[in-house]
Amino acid sequence: MPEDRLRPAAPGRPAPPEQDPARPAPPGAHASFDDLPLNRFHLKITALTFGANFSDGYQLGIIGIALTAMAPQMHLGALWQGLMGASALIGVFVGSIVIGWAADRMGRQRLYMLDFLLIAVASVLQFFVTGPVELFVLRLLIGFGIGADYALGPTLVAEFVPRRYRGGLLASLTVLWTIGYITAFFFGTYLVGLGGDSWRWLLASSALPAVAVLLLRIGTPESPRWLIGKGRIDEARRVVSAYVGSQVDFDAFAAQQRTELKPAPYRALFGRKHWRNTAFGVLFYNCQVIPYFAIYTFLPLVLVKISLAGQGFLSEALLNLFLLLGGVAGLWLVAGLTRRRLTIGSFAVLAASLAPMGIWPDAPAAVLFPLFLVFTFTMSAATNLDQVYPPELFPTELRSSGVGLLNGMSRVGSAIGTFLLPVSLSGMGFAPTMMALTVVLLIGALVSALWAPETSGAALE
């Protein structure tokens, strides 16, 4: 990646006036596309992208709760429970990579509509399943749609939103994941408590946010950066004028995007120019989500191990509160800290708060649970970076492919961690499992210290 695209202004030296994100151009002036004031459309495109993150958090949250009622009815053993927990994550892997690649060639807008149609239909069909194979396939399809949106949503937000606000708005997507997960916990706990086939209604309820998002996305425009890259200059000009603002210096924006950009081959992500950002993105993302998905998909099992089995609802409710507080605090941290500092620091705190559970697993709950609260808060705050960093690592011709690859590969790790956690707890025990997850976090800290680029405030190419 060219250094001039990622190098912020030197300390104490203001950026050139036309690029200073703190000084948007006055109304009527020719403004830089990257330095416009925030408008209603910027907020709308971000809000429309909330859907994938809310749905992913909700889908992950409900499957763990639904399994408590479903497993006895369907006679599911540990293998099938692990597969059900990992099914949507496997789908996310395929959807992110396939649709991320397709969106750099076909455009973002059309696929941005179709992915939630798939999620809505598959979610409804979960109500009618008669066996584990059918449910596994449907959850693969749901995951495929969510994965597609993980590649498309952050890409569109990053390509439309002014750089001054890009980090905060992208980070807010992760907060919606947390809200989806918390909603699933409280609603799912209530609904499954009714007994019978309530788990079917719980799984099918995921269609409601999907349908709402699908309807609201009607009329979403194509990314002008992508249109310019394909030589469709007049279309890009109309989109910018109608949705972003007529005061934009469109000719300067088009020149910056390198008109008639040739499609970059997928292998360019692993070439000399981009391999380091690709490797960092894959490793950083995986080292975050492997512990996250493994622990929180099977949170009741972990709470039993730290002697909180009799206080399940209260302890889980408190942990969900810390998830939400951490997510909100993460918005401030993304805005106030550089990407590198937040990434490295959060990995260090996560490892320090999880390691004692592996070193002293028989410690009183009064010791382990506060550490787990610190872990929960920090993890929720740090995962805001998962939507911020990936779009900033790649240029327009590779952005959707790169974001899709990082999201897809992260779900490989998530699926493996989710599948192996119950197996590891029963086979290896609690302490070795927690130590293994701590090692994953330490690897994340090391990789970030060596390779993490500083992209805060950078203009997108």
Side-chain angles (χ1 to χ4, degrees):
M1 180 175 294
E3 290 295 326
D4 58 345
R5 193 159 54 83
L6 292 180
R7 186 182 298 122
R13 182 186 304 168
E18 69 274 11
Q19 294 183 350
D20 185 355
R23 296 175 54 189
H30 289 294
S32 164
F33 185 92
D34 280 310
D35 299 320
L36 290 169
L38 199 66
N39 65 24
R40 292 177 61 185
F41 176 74
H42 295 140
L43 297 176
K44 180 181 178 181
I45 196 69
T46 306
L48 291 177
T49 307
F50 286 161
N53 299 78
F54 181 92
S55 292
D56 188 21
Y58 191 80
Q59 293 283 1
L60 180 66
I62 61 175
I63 190 60
I65 297 171
L67 277 171
T68 61
M70 181 199 320
Q73 287 189 22
M74 290 191 174
H75 308 290
L76 303 181
L79 177 63
W80 266 115
Q81 290 186 55
L83 286 172
M84 289 301 178
S87 55
L89 301 175
I90 298 170
V92 169
F93 161 69
V94 179
S96 293
I97 292 179
V98 172
I99 302 303
W101 171 85
D104 279 335
R105 285 144 186 83
M106 300 170 55
R108 288 74 158 113
Q109 184 270 343
R110 188 187 317 167
L111 298 171
Y112 189 65
M113 293 288 298
L114 294 176
D115 57 9
F116 261 84
L117 177 61
L118 173 63
I119 294 170
V121 172
S123 295
V124 170
L125 292 177
Q126 290 180 109
F127 183 86
F128 303 100
V129 297
T130 59
V133 175
E134 297 170 27
L135 183 57
F136 180 76
V137 171
L138 288 173
R139 292 193 63 78
L140 282 177
L141 293 175
I142 290 169
F144 184 93
I146 292 172
D149 215 75
Y150 271 139
L152 298 165
T155 297
L156 272 173
V157 172
E159 291 182 350
F160 270 111
V161 170
R163 58 180 166 178
R164 182 185 182 191
Y165 307 98
R166 187 174 66 229
L169 292 180
L170 285 170
S172 68
L173 301 179
T174 305
V175 177
L176 263 290
W177 187 99
T178 304
I179 292 174
Y181 183 88
I182 293 172
T183 301
F185 167 73
F186 286 106
F187 178 66
T189 300
Y190 164 76
L191 195 59
V192 169
L194 299 178
D197 283 342
S198 55
W199 61 268
R200 295 181 182 273
W201 292 101
L202 177 60
L203 293 177
S205 68
S206 59
L208 296 176
V211 171
V213 170
L214 179 63
L215 294 176
L216 290 171
R217 283 186 176 183
I218 295 173
T220 301
E222 182 58 84
S223 164
R225 296 180 192 268
W226 184 84
L227 289 170
I228 292 170
K230 296 299 179 182
R232 293 158 61 175
I233 307 300
D234 290 340
E235 292 178 62
R237 191 186 300 272
R238 287 194 293 271
V239 169
V240 170
S241 178
Y243 293 93
V244 181
S246 57
Q247 74 270 32
V248 173
D249 187 343
F250 182 82
D251 292 335
F253 173 58
Q256 179 192 17
Q257 294 303 300
R258 296 186 297 167
T259 306
E260 299 291 353
L261 190 69
K262 293 183 179 179
Y266 198 81
R267 64 178 180 273
L269 290 171
F270 312 98
R272 180 178 58 84
K273 188 177 180 182
H274 300 293
W275 76 266
R276 181 170 293 183
N277 279 2
T278 301
F280 160 71
V282 169
L283 291 171
F284 138 78
Y285 213 153
N286 268 285
C287 289
Q288 269 195 355
V289 300
I290 288 174
Y292 197 164
F293 279 66
I295 289 174
Y296 291 101
T297 301
F298 296 101
L299 184 59
L301 293 178
V302 176
L303 293 178
V304 168
K305 298 298 183 180
I306 58 176
S307 304
L308 287 168
Q311 307 171 45
F313 180 81
L314 290 176
S315 56
E316 287 190 45
L318 187 57
L319 285 165
N320 277 288
L321 175 62
F322 270 68
L323 275 176
L324 181 58
L325 293 175
V328 173
L331 297 177
W332 176 80
L333 292 172
V334 168
L337 299 178
T338 64
R339 307 287 189 257
R340 275 183 56 85
R341 183 178 299 178
L342 179 55
T343 304
I344 298 169
S346 61
F347 273 124
V349 174
L350 288 169
S353 57
L354 191 63
M357 300 183 198
I359 297 171
W360 190 17
D362 297 323
V367 174
L368 294 183
F369 191 60
L371 286 172
F372 200 34
L373 290 177
V374 172
F375 177 86
T376 298
F377 181 90
T378 307
M379 179 64 83
S380 184
T383 53
N384 283 315
L385 286 168
D386 296 349
Q387 300 297 325
V388 177
Y389 237 148
E392 295 178 342
L393 294 175
F394 306 101
T396 297
E397 67 269 25
L398 284 170
R399 183 165 297 118
S400 185
S401 295
V403 172
L405 174 68
L406 268 52
N407 275 288
M409 294 305 296
S410 75
R411 268 39 182 188
V412 172
S414 302
I416 292 172
T418 302
F419 176 71
L420 289 181
L421 185 78
V423 177
S424 176
L425 287 175
S426 62
M428 294 171 49
F430 179 71
T433 299
M434 294 300 104
M435 288 308 301
L437 294 177
T438 300
V439 170
V440 171
L441 293 168
L442 291 173
I443 292 172
L446 178 62
V447 168
S448 299
L450 293 175
W451 285 348
E454 187 50 73
T455 61
S456 303
L460 298 183
E461 180 181 344

